[in-house]
Structures are given as structure tokens and as C-alpha cells.
Amino acid sequence: MRFELKALTAACVLLIVSAGASPAADVKIHRVAIQVDQNDPAVMNLALNNATNIMETFKEKGEEVEIELVTYGPGLNMLREDTSPVKDRVKQIAELSFPAKIRFSACNITKRGMEKREGHPIAIVSEASLVPSGAVRLMELQESGWSYLKP
């Protein structure tokens, strides 16, 4: 009788623990990579609008989201300190993104090419980080299961 009671208690504890762990394991984190490859303020603003709308939608749903805006080619101007027509919005979105996670990635291949052509160093906005290659970064994110948007 004592053995059966211990076994039943252990089974109940195991059931409660596994039931409590299950919802945490089922939490889906939404992830999207947004490509910006044009030096067009309308495209840059559309990408930022997409990011903002995605963050707000999942915040309302109580779900987690990670967003990475990847810039390369002419789109790098979005994250250049000296040429970005949207740097104030980038800063604002970065500051207000919590609980969402947003990252701004700047292609280092493009940056080096621009520096060579222009003959001077190029500063990237403080909210951004350099990645070796914007195109490769997009590939890596998609291969890791991230959704993809190109405004």
C-alpha cells in the first residue's frame, strides 16, 4: 500500500511538472528578416513601417518577435550616419521596440566599397552593427527559419 501511494504521488508530481513545462516549450518566437537594398527614402520608410507594424501586432497578441533589417548595396545609406534620411526613425524604433527585439545590420562589403569610392571613412548609426555581408546574412537568417520581407 505504501509503495502504491509513493508511486502514485511520484506519477502525479511528474504529470504536474511535465504539464507545467509544456506551455513554455510551445512558445513560438516569430522572426523576420527585412531587406533594404535601395537608396530610396520611401523604401526605407516602408521597411520601418513594416517593422513597427509587426512589433505592434505581436505585442498586442502577447507573442514574441525578433526583427532584423539587413541593408546592403545602395540600401546601406539607410544606416549611414551622414546620409540616412531615416536615422531619427531608426533611433526611435530601436528605443521603443521592447519587448520585441530589433536589430539593424549593415553590410561591411558595401561599406568598404563606399569608403574606397568616396575616399573617406563612413560612420554607421550607433543602433546598427556591421555584418560581413548583407546578402550572406539574409541567407543565414532564412536558412535558420526566419521569414523574409522585401518592401
Side-chain angles (χ1 to χ4, degrees):
M1 176 79 165
R2 234 176 167 192
F3 175 75
E4 290 174 4
L5 187 57
K6 284 183 179 179
L8 184 59
T9 302
C12 287
V13 169
L14 183 61
L15 189 62
I16 291 169
V17 169
S18 66
S22 180
D26 292 340
V27 172
K28 176 171 176 48
I29 300 174
H30 305 277
R31 294 179 174 97
V32 63
I34 302 175
Q35 174 182 331
V36 178
D37 63 353
Q38 298 177 50
N39 186 14
D40 179 348
V43 171
M44 295 172 190
N45 276 301
L46 181 56
L48 294 171
N49 291 345
N50 290 159
T52 301
N53 292 339
I54 290 166
M55 287 188 293
E56 289 175 1
T57 298
F58 285 112
K59 183 177 183 178
E60 288 172 8
K61 293 171 82 172
E63 297 178 19
E64 292 184 52
V65 66
E66 294 179 14
I67 300 168
E68 187 163 337
L69 277 97
V70 181
T71 65
Y72 65 92
L76 183 69
N77 285 290
M78 178 180 185
L79 300 178
R80 282 183 59 161
E81 186 63 44
D82 61 343
T83 62
S84 176
V86 294
K87 69 180 173 183
D88 291 337
R89 280 197 74 198
V90 167
K91 180 178 180 148
Q92 179 186 35
I93 289 170
E95 289 173 352
L96 300 175
S97 65
F98 185 81
K101 295 177 185 151
I102 190 160
R103 179 178 174 173
F104 298 93
S105 295
C107 176
N108 199 35
I109 292 173
T110 300
K111 180 180 175 286
R112 287 192 318 252
M114 287 180 172
E115 289 171 336
K116 186 175 180 180
R117 277 189 305 281
E118 296 177 26
H120 61 85
I122 292 173
I124 301 298
V125 296
S126 62
E127 295 78 20
S129 58
L130 285 173
V131 294
S133 165
V136 170
R137 181 65 184 156
L138 284 169
M139 290 173 60
E140 291 169 344
L141 292 170
Q142 290 179 76
E143 290 168 354
S144 297
W146 286 55
S147 298
Y148 165 81
L149 286 178
K150 183 177 192 283

